[in-house]
Amino acid sequence: MVFIAILSIIAAYLIGSVNFAVIYTNAFVRKDVRKYGSGNAGSTNALRVGGKASGILTFVCDFLKGAICSYFGIRIFEYIFDKCGASWAMPAYGAYLCGIACLIGHVYPIFFGFKGGKGVATGVGLFLPICPLATLVGLVSFAVIVLLSGIVSISSIIAAVLVVVTALCCGRLDGKLWIQIILALVALFIVEIRHKDNIKRLINGEEKRILKRGKKNGKN
């Protein structure tokens, strides 16, 4: 049964390693997203480099791969728990472990030279089977903050924190809470550490806006 759990985690990492930003920007504009814009292989840079279709498809697919891996983590660990009743096989643990493996695959994809995205869409997606409300809070807060600030990075950083807090307060609590707290914080840490350069630019007031406001004289 331990072998099945390990295989599911490895499979989740491999699924996470499918980088849709690279795939879609290459398909739409024949460019490697990692060589243009910010160099990040995520939905925001896919939007900049490949256009709206590339950015939207990247976000949706990155979100779904996180949600799918987390969901199957729950199902697989439920199967293991039903068969042997092992305390380590609580379904919530499976969701986090497979979701985090997918997230690591997205950030460090084995198929794309270990150079991936920052994990926001995949990270939010992994919480969908654990706590749909947390995912909703993350998506809404991200959208609102982007509209108000025009800065994707700060929206991502705040949304990630809100998702984790909501999931720990309202999500499934099978198993020990402290283990879920650790696993949720690991997911949060991965996303936040990938934004360390953005945080530095935010502190220095150098972070670029994705939504540019028009000037007062009416010129864009």
Side-chain angles (χ1 to χ4, degrees):
M1 292 301 177
V2 173
F3 182 67
I4 293 174
I6 292 172
L7 280 181
S8 68
I9 293 169
I10 293 172
Y13 169 77
L14 294 176
I15 291 170
S17 291
V18 179
N19 191 287
F20 291 102
V22 176
I23 292 170
Y24 286 127
T25 52
N26 182 62
F28 283 106
V29 294
R30 299 292 184 224
K31 291 182 178 179
D32 186 338
V33 69
R34 296 167 295 179
K35 297 179 180 179
Y36 297 89
S38 66
N40 179 57
S43 56
T44 302
N45 204 37
L47 175 66
R48 292 192 188 101
V49 177
K52 290 182 180 179
S54 177
I56 292 171
L57 285 171
T58 297
F59 181 87
V60 171
C61 290
D62 284 348
F63 175 88
L64 288 176
K65 71 183 181 183
I68 289 169
C69 288
S70 180
Y71 173 78
F72 279 107
I74 291 175
R75 299 281 82 86
I76 291 167
F77 274 59
E78 278 181 345
Y79 170 79
I80 295 172
F81 184 79
D82 290 342
K83 288 294 183 180
C84 64
S87 60
W88 56 266
M90 292 295 179
Y93 301 168
Y96 277 112
L97 290 172
C98 290
I100 290 171
C102 179
L103 182 59
I104 293 172
H106 176 77
V107 174
Y108 303 109
I110 192 171
F111 305 130
F112 296 92
F114 299 99
K115 187 177 180 182
K118 296 185 178 179
V120 177
T122 302
V124 173
L126 82 84
F127 282 93
L128 181 61
I130 299 169
C131 181
L133 177 61
T135 298
L136 179 62
V137 167
L139 293 174
V140 171
S141 61
F142 176 84
V144 170
I145 298 169
V146 165
L147 290 173
L148 292 176
S149 68
I151 301 175
V152 171
S153 59
I154 193 169
S155 308
S156 302
I157 292 166
I158 295 174
V161 172
L162 292 176
V163 167
V164 169
V165 171
T166 305
L168 291 174
C169 291
C170 307
R172 54 187 301 148
L173 296 176
D174 49 344
K176 295 181 179 179
L177 179 58
W178 68 268
I179 294 178
Q180 293 195 47
I181 291 173
I182 291 173
L183 293 172
L185 290 177
V186 168
L188 177 62
F189 175 78
I190 293 170
V191 173
E192 301 296 346
I193 199 67
R194 289 288 289 149
H195 284 82
K196 63 182 185 300
D197 293 333
N198 302 91
I199 294 171
K200 291 177 183 177
R201 289 195 292 269
L202 285 167
I203 293 172
N204 296 328
E206 299 171 350
E207 187 73 331
K208 295 180 180 179
R209 298 175 184 271
I210 194 170
L211 298 177
K212 296 181 180 179
R213 297 185 177 89
K215 296 181 181 179
K216 290 183 179 180
N217 60 7
K219 295 180 181 180
N220 294 327

